[in-house]
Amino acid sequence: EAQVTQNPRYLITVTGKKLTVTCSQNMNHEYMSWYRQDPGLGLRQIYYSMNVEVTDKGDVPEGYKVSRKEKRNFPLILESPSPNQTSLYFCASSLYGGEQFFGPGTRLTVL
Amino acid sequence: GENVEQHPSTLSVQEGDSAVIKCTYSDSASNYFPWYKQELGKGPQLIIDIRSNVGEKKDQRIAVTLNKTAKHFSLHITETQPEDSAVYFCAASRFGSGNTGKLIFGQGTTLQVKP
């Protein structure tokens, strides 16, 4: 089944404790992206990648890192999480930036 | 910067009525306008999209219209059913060679269809 998977689905952590949210897609898509969803703000792009070893900042990249060592994986790294990073996070993939397929989401709470 | 405004933020209709959600975009170079439906606890899923060379597109009970001059596009759902209840997002992007395909999303509309 073609899909985007994210792990974990739910995470509660404390300020400053490094964490990684994994994202994997099995559709051989070039383009992958991370979004955060906050009430009243819609989805905002954090980082995106157009291919292996090619990443770039989206609209809200501060406090986040990403890497794209393999085509299928695009992990999101929070080196020192803060409470303002409490949000619902989505990974998405697409072929050349067209229709984007979203993962199920990761709900992160930073205390 | 690029921006997409979406209205209304909430919409409640009776089953069988029509629902209309409107979006306005700022980037005149945008040429791809998808609509996503997000059900509770799930990621957004594409339901229909339109490119800038087309003024209207229909798929069963769903239609999207685009006015490039006014930079407006709208989602129309006819004969609404309870399973249409969800959050709907519009988006705009520059799609094609040399572009990143980055989506700029609207703020979302929570649609409630009452039985």
Side-chain angles (χ1 to χ4, degrees), chain A residues 6-12 19-22 34 89 104-108:
Chain A
Q6 294 178 228
N7 283 292
R9 294 290 313 278
Y10 302 90
L11 179 59
I12 300 174
L19 65 93
T20 299
V21 183
T22 64
W34 275 102
Y89 291 86
T106 295
R107 187 166 292 281
L108 173 65

Side-chain angles (χ1 to χ4, degrees), chain B residues 88-99:
Chain B
Y88 291 82
F89 290 98
C90 63
S93 80
R94 301 182 186 184
F95 179 75
S97 177
N99 290 318

Side-chain angles (χ1 to χ4, degrees), chain A residues 16-28:
Chain A
K17 186 176 181 181
K18 181 179 178 180
L19 65 93
T20 299
V21 183
T22 64
C23 172
S24 183
Q25 50 96 3
N26 62 1
M27 295 169 279
N28 202 35

Side-chain angles (χ1 to χ4, degrees), chain A residues 3-72:
Chain A
Q3 60 182 351
V4 178
T5 57
Q6 294 178 228
N7 283 292
R9 294 290 313 278
Y10 302 90
L11 179 59
I12 300 174
T13 190
V14 295
T15 298
K17 186 176 181 181
K18 181 179 178 180
L19 65 93
T20 299
V21 183
T22 64
C23 172
S24 183
Q25 50 96 3
N26 62 1
M27 295 169 279
N28 202 35
H29 284 165
E30 270 76 20
Y31 188 95
M32 296 187 75
S33 189
W34 275 102
Y35 295 88
R36 61 178 288 175
Q37 182 177 1
D38 301 289
L41 297 177
L43 292 108
R44 295 178 293 167
Q45 190 183 57
I46 302 169
Y47 267 95
Y48 66 94
S49 169
M50 295 179 73
N51 215 323
V52 174
E53 301 292 359
V54 180
T55 63
D56 209 347
K57 296 176 181 178
D59 294 318
V60 288
E62 294 78 19
Y64 305 94
K65 284 176 56 177
V66 293
S67 69
R68 188 94 182 272
K69 293 184 170 54
E70 306 164 281
K71 197 172 190 178
R72 63 183 294 127

